[in-house]
Each structure stands twice: as C-alpha cells, then as structure tokens.
C-alpha cells in the first residue's frame, strides 16, 4: 500500500520506539525497540530486542511485541492499532506482523541505512518488509527520523561479537 505522510503524533511515537531501542542497548541487546498504539492514541504495549539476553535469535523487538499483543488482543482489536518501530522490520518480523492482524506499521530507520552502518550485505538480498506487509494490505510508513534512529546504533556494531 502507498504510505501516507506522517503526523507529529507519529513522530512522537517513533521517538519513543527509538528510546526503547536505547533501553535495549543499555540492557546488553541489539538496539531495536517497538511500540503498539491504539487508533485512539493510547500506548498499549512496548518491547525491546532481547536476542542476546534471551539467547534466542527470534527475540527481535517486533516479534516480542507481537507475541505480547497476540496474547492480550484479538486480531480484530489489533486491526485498530499501529506498530511503531525504531527500524524497518526484517522479513521474520514482517511475517509475524502480517499474521497478527496489525494494519499499520511506522518505522524510523530503513534496513538499507542500517546495513550501510553495519557494513553488512547479508540482509540486502532478503525480501523487503513492504513485499511481505503489502500482501496483507498493511499500511507501511517510513523511513522517518533516520538520523535520530541511527544514533542509537552508532558504535554498537563495531565489535565482532555483536553481529
């Protein structure tokens, strides 16, 4: 689906997602964060990346958020929410978002910008998140606030054990 322009409220929620990413980094994890917001503007849930501390490669922020949300809300309720995330969702997370029923995703940092920072080409050949989310008619908005979102990653990916 075509992205709509973002409103100031969207940018505020993106900043919260970036703040959650900063918390993830402070907790020893990859710097990614996600936030679920109702169509009335109520913050419902938040989750950070826990890949390192949980020793589980599937514990991306968006996956953690979708797991929490799916336990608490029906797909019908999730259809009236927006998932804000500090970085464009990967294909795994995009699939989970698709199956959850969330109908709108807003992200700050593009995957391409992240891969440029990390020096990794590994993710560039993966399906783009929009290719997966578009199948379900999910509105995707982003990137936005890339410089702010990128700042959380600076220096994190420079050590080999972080990859």
């Amino acid at each position: 689906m075509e992205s709509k322009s973002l409103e100031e409220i969207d940018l505020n929620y993106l900043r919260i997602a970036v703040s959650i990413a900063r918390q993830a980094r402070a907790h020893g994890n990859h710097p990614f964060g996600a936030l679920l917001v109702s169509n009335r503007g109520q913050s419902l849930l938040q989750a950070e990346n826990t890949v390192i501390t949980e020793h589980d490669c599937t514990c991306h922020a968006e996956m953690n958020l979708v797991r929490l949300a799916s336990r608490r809300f029906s797909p019908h309720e999730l259809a009236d929410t927006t998932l804000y995330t500090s970085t464009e969702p990967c294909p795994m997370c995009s699939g989970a978002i698709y199956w959850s029923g969330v109908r709108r995703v807003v992200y700050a940092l593009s995957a391409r910008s992240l891969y440029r920072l990390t020096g990794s080409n590994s993710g560039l050949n993966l399906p783009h998140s929009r290719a997966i989310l578009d199948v379900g008619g999910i509105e995707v908005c982003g990137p936005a606030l890339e410089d702010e979102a990128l700042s959380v990653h600076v220096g994190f990916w420079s050590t080999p054990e972080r990859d």
Side-chain angles (χ1 to χ4, degrees), residues 115 121-128:
Y115 296 141
N121 290 323
S122 62
L124 293 178
N125 294 324
L126 293 173
H128 193 274

Side-chain angles (χ1 to χ4, degrees), residues 37 44 65 89 100 109 111 126 146 157-158 160:
V37 176
L44 300 173
L65 186 67
S100 74
L109 181 65
L126 293 173
E146 280 207 290
W157 301 99
S158 59

Side-chain angles (χ1 to χ4, degrees), residues 10 29 47 58 64-65 69 82 85 99-100 104 110 113-114 144-145:
D10 292 313
N29 289 293
T58 69
N64 288 340
L65 186 67
T82 297
T85 182
W99 289 112
S100 74
R104 184 170 185 251
S110 71
S113 293
L114 177 64
L145 304 176

Side-chain angles (χ1 to χ4, degrees), residues 44-82:
L44 300 173
L45 296 169
Q46 64 181 30
E48 58 188 57
N49 179 292
T50 57
V51 166
I52 295 171
T53 56
E54 293 293 325
H55 307 284
D56 184 342
C57 65
T58 69
C59 286
H60 293 191
E62 300 90 345
M63 287 289 290
N64 288 340
L65 186 67
V66 167
R67 284 185 190 110
L68 289 170
S70 295
R71 291 179 188 131
R72 187 171 292 176
F73 304 105
S74 71
H76 178 73
E77 291 170 311
L78 289 173
D80 288 330
T81 64
T82 297

Side-chain angles (χ1 to χ4, degrees), residues 30-32 60 62 86-94 107-130 132 143 146 149-150 153-154 156-158 162-163:
H30 301 111
F32 300 100
H60 293 191
E62 300 90 345
S86 62
T87 305
E88 181 178 357
C90 73
M92 174 184 69
C93 293
S94 296
Y107 66 92
L109 181 65
S110 71
R112 186 165 299 285
S113 293
L114 177 64
Y115 296 141
R116 257 195 303 270
L117 174 74
T118 65
S120 170
N121 290 323
S122 62
L124 293 178
N125 294 324
L126 293 173
H128 193 274
S129 63
R130 285 181 198 257
I132 296 166
E146 280 207 290
L150 193 62
H153 293 270
V154 172
F156 181 84
W157 301 99
S158 59
R162 299 291 189 179
D163 294 332

